[in-house]
Amino acid sequence: MSTAQVNAWIQVATTLIEVGYKAEGLIKTLIAAVHPGMSEDELAVICDDVLADATVRQAMADRDSGAA
Amino acid sequence: MKRLALALLLVLVACRSVPVKQAAVITTSAVEHALAVAQDAERALCFVTPAVEAGPICTNPAAVTVKWSNEQHVAFEQALSKAFGIQKVLAPALKNWHPGDPPPASLSALLKAAQDALNFAMAVSGQTATALFVSDVQKLVDEIKVLQGRVR
């Protein structure tokens, strides 16, 4: 499964949560859906995506809290 | 019923076979997405046009209707800032996490920060459509806590 597909799965999971889908067991299903042998490069891309989005989101939160 | 039991068994077997680093990276990413959705939901409650508005003062009359104050808005965003800040530390730590090394301590910190952020969101429970979402994210965090036991 490619990194793009993994990201798509996460997006689907997030959307399901957003629309009220019961999240119980969702993460287990999500992880089970991803093949158990993701490469270091694939995991690195996900980590980089988390870092990039968290940076943007934290800046947004700081603006809204008046800290920035 | 047998098919359901078999499906559950397959999911559990597949889950156990996933390396802990992969499980940690995927769950961290899922938490980041869940918090981002929570942030968007809160901003939609607080601002009339969240795409262009920002700041500590809510402009949406809906916030007044559900008694979501400016102080709660600021506290929620402060909690989110802390959670996202931990993710900024955790993501590179996970990326450089090698087999045999202890798991990054920031993984536990992330779960605590995510919990704190969701506690603020729970303040609007039962009064808006976000209540169900918050409830489900709470279950998601619980799932991740279970997974964290495997990471240790």
Side-chain angles (χ1 to χ4, degrees), chain A residues 35-64:
Chain A
H35 74 76
M38 289 181 72
S39 70
E40 285 292 317
D41 286 345
E42 288 175 312
L43 295 176
V45 169
I46 295 174
C47 289
D48 288 343
D49 286 346
V50 170
L51 175 60
D53 197 57
T55 300
V56 172
R57 290 282 174 176
Q58 187 184 34
M60 193 187 301
D62 286 343
R63 281 197 302 275
D64 284 344

Side-chain angles (χ1 to χ4, degrees), chain B:
Chain B
M1 183 60 84
K2 284 183 179 177
R3 284 183 181 178
L4 178 62
L6 179 61
L8 285 173
L9 181 63
L10 287 174
V11 167
L12 288 174
V13 169
C15 198
R16 284 184 178 178
S17 67
V18 175
V20 289
K21 177 173 178 177
Q22 182 172 326
V25 170
I26 297 294
T27 51
T28 298
S29 179
V31 168
E32 201 275 334
H33 279 258
L35 289 177
V37 171
Q39 186 178 38
D40 287 343
E42 194 275 341
R43 296 188 89 255
L45 174 68
C46 182
F47 298 119
V48 175
T49 49
V52 297
E53 290 182 79
I57 308 297
C58 289
T59 59
N60 194 338
V64 177
T65 302
V66 300
K67 296 184 172 62
W68 186 247
S69 69
N70 292 332
E71 289 76 18
Q72 287 171 306
H73 163 64
V74 167
F76 179 69
E77 294 295 340
Q78 286 173 337
L80 280 178
S81 176
K82 182 180 178 183
F84 287 126
I86 290 170
Q87 281 169 325
K88 286 167 62 180
V89 175
L90 178 58
L94 284 176
K95 184 178 178 180
N96 297 315
W97 181 20
H98 300 296
D101 291 347
S106 40
L107 193 57
S108 295
L110 171 64
L111 293 177
K112 172 72 168 59
Q115 187 68 65
D116 288 346
L118 290 174
N119 285 343
F120 282 104
M122 286 296 286
V124 289
S125 280
Q127 299 181 61
T128 74
T130 60
L132 185 57
F133 158 73
V134 171
S135 171
D136 284 344
V137 172
Q138 179 65 59
K139 290 174 186 170
L140 177 66
V141 170
D142 291 342
E143 289 287 326
I144 293 166
K145 284 177 180 172
V146 172
L147 277 171
Q148 192 195 19
R150 291 178 47 226
V151 174
R152 281 177 180 156

